[in-house]
């Protein structure tokens, strides 16, 4: 929608998995949109790290990845994702039997947020970006993100 000077006014997207008003309060809209363009790929990578850590029963790595999700989801005001990631950290700290369930809930909520961001044009679809866990390669020892 143009303003009186012919330029477009920013529009507030209708999002269910993040609070645009809160997110825009953390930074300028241009910075938020730039962050959101990269966020789904980063989130997919972190979730892949979480799932790999769970398979390997590396709970310290799982905890670190869950804390990354907590921080980034808080930054973009994705409270549902933040809450399930927090619950996962608590389950890890308590050595609960619910760690696997909480990991899956976190991954599911991350996927919902990603789909929403893609559907609103903030980022490209996961089918257009291949992401592998960011663990060091066994042959080179380097961290690889596997984006193509």
């Amino acid at each position: 929608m143009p303003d009186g000077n012919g330029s477009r006014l920013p529009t507030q997207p209708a999002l269910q998995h993040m609070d645009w008003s809160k997110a825009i309060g953390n930074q300028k809209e241009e910075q938020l949109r730039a962050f959101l363009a990269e966020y789904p790929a980063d989130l997919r990578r972190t979730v892949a790290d979480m799932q790999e850590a769970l398979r390997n029963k590396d709970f310290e790595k799982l905890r670190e990845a869950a804390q990354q999700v907590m921080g980034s989801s808080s930054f973009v005001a994705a409270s549902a994702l933040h809450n399930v990631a927090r619950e996962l950290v608590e389950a890890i700290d308590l050595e609960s039997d619910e760690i696997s369930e909480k990991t899956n809930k976190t991954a599911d909520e991350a996927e919902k947020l990603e789909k929403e961001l893609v559907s609103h044009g903030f980022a490209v679809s996961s089918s257009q970006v291949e992401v592998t866990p960011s663990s060091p390669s066994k042959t080179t020892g380097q961290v690889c993100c596997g984006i193509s």
Side-chain angles (χ1 to χ4, degrees), residues 3 28 61 73 77-78 81 99 110 114-115 125 135 145:
D3 65 9
K28 294 180 182 174
K61 182 177 177 183
S73 60
L81 180 56
I99 294 172
E114 174 195 346
K115 285 180 179 179
S125 168
S135 58
C145 54

Side-chain angles (χ1 to χ4, degrees), residues 50-65:
M50 288 171 48
Q51 292 167 330
E52 179 183 25
L54 180 63
R55 280 190 303 276
N56 296 331
K57 299 192 184 317
D58 185 344
F59 298 113
E60 187 55 39
K61 182 177 177 183
L62 179 58
R63 186 179 197 286
E64 289 172 13

Side-chain angles (χ1 to χ4, degrees), residues 3-112:
D3 65 9
N5 299 322
S7 54
R8 291 186 52 83
L9 292 174
T11 58
Q12 180 173 335
L15 302 169
Q16 294 180 348
H17 296 278
M18 68 175 273
D19 183 329
W20 181 262
S21 297
K22 283 185 182 177
I24 206 74
N26 292 334
Q27 65 272 309
K28 294 180 182 174
E29 182 174 0
E30 182 178 306
Q31 292 168 323
L32 176 60
R33 287 182 182 275
F35 181 81
L36 291 176
E38 302 295 325
Y39 185 53
D42 291 340
L43 189 57
R44 281 191 305 276
R45 194 171 19 264
T46 304
V47 168
D49 288 344
M50 288 171 48
Q51 292 167 330
E52 179 183 25
L54 180 63
R55 280 190 303 276
N56 296 331
K57 299 192 184 317
D58 185 344
F59 298 113
E60 187 55 39
K61 182 177 177 183
L62 179 58
R63 186 179 197 286
E64 289 172 13
Q67 286 178 318
Q68 285 180 332
V69 171
M70 281 177 57
S72 64
S73 60
S74 181
F75 183 70
V76 299
S79 6
L81 180 56
H82 176 83
N83 291 338
V84 293
R86 180 182 40 78
E87 289 173 9
L88 173 56
V89 170
E90 290 171 1
I92 295 165
D93 289 346
L94 296 172
E95 298 178 10
S96 166
D97 292 337
E98 297 179 328
I99 294 172
S100 180
E101 175 190 337
K102 301 288 185 186
T103 302
N104 291 333
K105 280 186 173 182
T106 303
D108 289 346
E109 185 59 33
E111 184 178 346
K112 289 175 186 175

